[in-house]
Amino acid sequence: MKKIVIPIGLVIVLIAGLMMSFSRGSAESPTFMREVLPKQDGFASVGNGTTGGASATEQNVFKVTNKKEFVAALKNRKNTAPKIVLVYGTIDFDTDDTGKSLTMKDYMADGYDFQQYLETHKPQSTAPKSLKDEQEAKRKASQKNQSKSITVHVPANTSIIGMDNAKLKGVNLVLDSDNVIIRNIQFESPYDYFLSWDPNDGPEGNWNSQYDSISIKGGTHIWIDHSSFQDGPETVEKYFGRKYEHRDGLVDITNEADYITISYSTFENHNKTMLIGSSDSKISDEGKLHVTLHHNYFHNVVQRLPRVRFGQVHVYNNYFASDTTNGEYAYAYSLGVGKNSQIYAENNVADIAGKDYTSFVKVFGGKQLTTVNNMFNGQIIDTFNDTLTPVDWKPELFTAIDPVNEVKENVLHNARPIKISQ
Ligand code: CA
Ligand code: CA
């Protein structure tokens, strides 16, 4: 009989390989779905850190494949028992409980007539005020119908974890509680059918839409990681000479939200990407809005990457790229320096076609910005804007900061949902 000899070296390699594949794990394995924010990983690590639903009991692990199940898993906002929601496949939120698609018509309140809305709201309209008010009330009621369908509040101590190709389409997740983890999800931004016309927004007025993919409204200890955010197919419409913009933010951070880390995620094909602080008059945001953005990929997005008021925001090791110089997603700027904002930007890389470094920063009444070792179109730029002075804080919460020449490759490889084999 022939003896089969297995070299000990091979055995070690096999065991090591097996262990590695276990530790990478499927999302159902504790190593992924129960992962918590690493210590020191940005502002979400303040205090007890961000653990989401990591300690959920087995009954509080929900596997969801449709909107009804997703909503049911999260419906009780007062239930703060740790919970994990595992998302499988695509969930479209413009649907009813039976899964039937809901369109503009389905949401429309009786008597809402878009042509009449335009007629009564256009500049110098001679329509009676009562008719104008009636159409505005109908618009609001219609918008409320859609809002009810697509808005989901996430309770405290929750992890929402995407399985292979998990996609939340048209949802507006509202984070107004403490301790939430969102990982490995593709978001397609919600599409508002019932925009409001604000004649006093800017010199020419503006159409305003309501929904973000994620609205962090007062939420604290939030970790968004390895996710992607983008628009679905876009229809371009203009009324009263202004763009009828169906989409608002991708991730907007407002209402005294605090201690947030957003990492290894892609933001793509969108206009108003990330707003931190919603108004100059919201002085209650002063001392809040601590946000860390690292290893994110901002690709063909127009503006607000992010735009900040009041907050201390650490922006490091992100990669900004734009190859579109015209059209819907033409680049405007990256860092928006708004009222009392304190952005500290270091070791970021930007490759922006057809623009020079001055476009990287736009000032909206802010006075301070620190930039260290950022590369724009192949050159390290020390000062992006002469009118700004350095911020008066220094980041202390971060894990490791990559050398600037490694940022692009690292981000392009890792800033997206992870492939999970089950
Ligand atoms: Ca808006
Ligand atoms: Ca918003």
Side-chain angles (χ1 to χ4, degrees):
M1 211 168 88
K2 236 181 170 178
K3 212 171 157 189
I4 299 166
V5 180
I6 301 169
I8 187 82
L10 181 63
V11 173
I12 289 170
V13 166
L14 283 173
I15 291 173
L18 206 61
M19 281 170 67
M20 258 176 71
S21 70
F22 272 123
S23 71
R24 289 180 150 223
S26 73
E28 287 181 68
S29 76
T31 51
F32 193 87
M33 76 178 193
R34 293 187 192 274
E35 253 170 34
V36 302
L37 179 76
K39 282 203 165 57
Q40 292 279 121
D41 189 352
F43 277 118
S45 70
V46 163
N48 293 328
T50 300
T51 56
S55 62
T57 58
E58 279 308 311
Q59 320 65 301
N60 284 326
V61 177
F62 302 92
K63 298 180 180 183
V64 304
T65 61
N66 58 47
K67 176 180 156 187
K68 198 177 173 185
E69 291 168 355
F70 185 91
V71 171
L74 298 173
K75 67 170 183 246
N76 185 353
R77 286 161 72 180
K78 293 198 176 112
N79 177 3
T80 58
K83 62 189 73 59
I84 299 172
V85 179
L86 300 175
V87 179
Y88 291 79
T90 296
I91 299 180
D92 184 351
F93 285 75
D94 284 305
T95 53
D96 68 13
D97 269 0
T98 68
K100 180 178 140 330
S101 282
L102 297 174
T103 63
M104 180 175 180
K105 267 205 167 118
D106 299 305
Y107 293 129
M108 260 163 54
D110 279 350
Y112 177 69
D113 181 328
F114 183 53
Q115 288 312 317
Q116 260 195 49
Y117 184 88
L118 290 177
E119 205 47 48
T120 54
H121 283 75
K122 71 181 181 194
Q124 281 97 44
S125 171
T126 54
K129 189 179 176 300
S130 59
L131 209 55
K132 180 180 180 179
D133 291 348
E134 188 194 321
Q135 278 306 311
E136 172 57 11
K138 299 287 185 194
R139 182 201 65 77
K140 267 194 181 144
S142 308
Q143 193 173 53
K144 218 174 181 174
N145 291 338
Q146 186 183 14
S147 176
K148 250 172 132 172
S149 179
I150 70 169
T151 304
V152 181
H153 289 259
V154 180
N157 308 318
T158 298
S159 295
I160 299 174
I161 308 289
M163 306 302 291
D164 260 355
N165 292 315
K167 183 171 185 176
L168 299 181
K169 183 170 179 281
V171 75
N172 174 211
L173 287 185
V174 178
L175 275 52
D176 46 11
S177 59
D178 184 55
N179 194 25
V180 173
I181 293 174
I182 295 173
R183 298 184 84 195
N184 223 36
I185 306 262
Q186 304 168 53
F187 287 89
E188 183 179 311
S189 63
Y191 188 92
D192 191 337
Y193 287 109
F194 306 101
L195 311 200
S196 61
W197 172 248
D198 181 354
N200 302 316
D201 182 351
E204 298 161 79
N206 258 322
W207 292 102
N208 277 306
S209 56
Q210 184 99 336
Y211 315 111
D212 316 314
S213 286
I214 298 179
S215 305
I216 306 179
K217 289 186 178 165
T220 49
H221 295 106
I222 311 290
W223 182 32
I224 298 169
D225 178 66
H226 283 293
S227 290
S228 68
F229 298 84
Q230 61 175 299
D231 293 352
E234 187 66 316
T235 49
V236 183
E237 300 159 73
K238 260 189 178 181
Y239 301 102
F240 311 159
R242 303 297 294 163
K243 193 182 171 201
Y244 195 69
E245 171 83 82
H246 290 277
R247 303 172 197 274
D248 200 38
L250 291 178
V251 179
D252 281 359
I253 301 170
T254 63
N255 294 33
E256 300 170 50
D258 217 353
Y259 307 132
I260 291 151
T261 298
I262 301 174
S263 50
Y264 292 102
S265 294
T266 288
F267 298 86
E268 211 160 23
N269 298 345
H270 188 84
N271 180 8
K272 303 176 199 169
T273 301
M274 188 184 297
L275 182 67
I276 302 178
S278 56
S279 165
D280 286 1
S281 60
K282 223 167 167 50
I283 52 171
S284 53
D285 281 338
E286 188 81 70
K288 313 271 185 177
L289 305 177
H290 293 90
V291 181
T292 301
L293 305 175
H294 72 86
H295 296 97
N296 299 295
Y297 180 33
F298 294 96
H299 182 223
N300 291 343
V301 278
V302 180
Q303 58 174 326
R304 303 186 177 175
L305 323 174
R307 174 178 171 170
V308 184
R309 297 177 173 98
F310 301 107
Q312 289 184 352
V313 180
H314 189 199
V315 181
Y316 75 88
N317 285 165
N318 300 282
Y319 180 48
F320 304 81
S322 175
D323 42 45
T324 157
T325 47
N326 51 41
E328 280 312 286
Y329 302 122
Y331 180 85
Y333 69 91
S334 291
L335 307 179
V337 178
K339 184 181 179 182
N340 293 4
S341 64
Q342 297 258 325
I343 301 171
Y344 193 109
E346 60 183 320
N347 290 42
N348 298 287
V349 175
D351 289 323
I352 309 294
K355 296 279 183 177
D356 74 58
Y357 73 90
T358 56
S359 63
F360 190 70
V361 170
K362 187 163 179 183
V363 178
F364 296 92
K367 298 199 164 60
Q368 291 173 292
L369 170 71
T370 295
T371 54
V372 181
N373 213 25
N374 297 286
M375 189 183 276
F376 190 97
N377 289 353
Q379 282 200 300
I380 296 288
I381 307 295
D382 295 321
T383 308
F384 288 88
N385 186 305
D386 292 334
T387 68
L388 301 170
T389 59
V391 299
D392 32 52
W393 68 288
K394 206 171 176 344
E396 287 168 2
L397 294 169
F398 50 86
T399 48
I401 297 184
D402 296 335
V404 75
N405 61 349
E406 291 172 12
V407 170
K408 178 178 172 181
E409 203 191 329
N410 189 1
V411 167
L412 289 180
H413 271 101
N414 296 307
R416 64 167 66 92
I418 305 162
K419 191 88 186 142
I420 294 158
S421 40
Q422 298 167 60

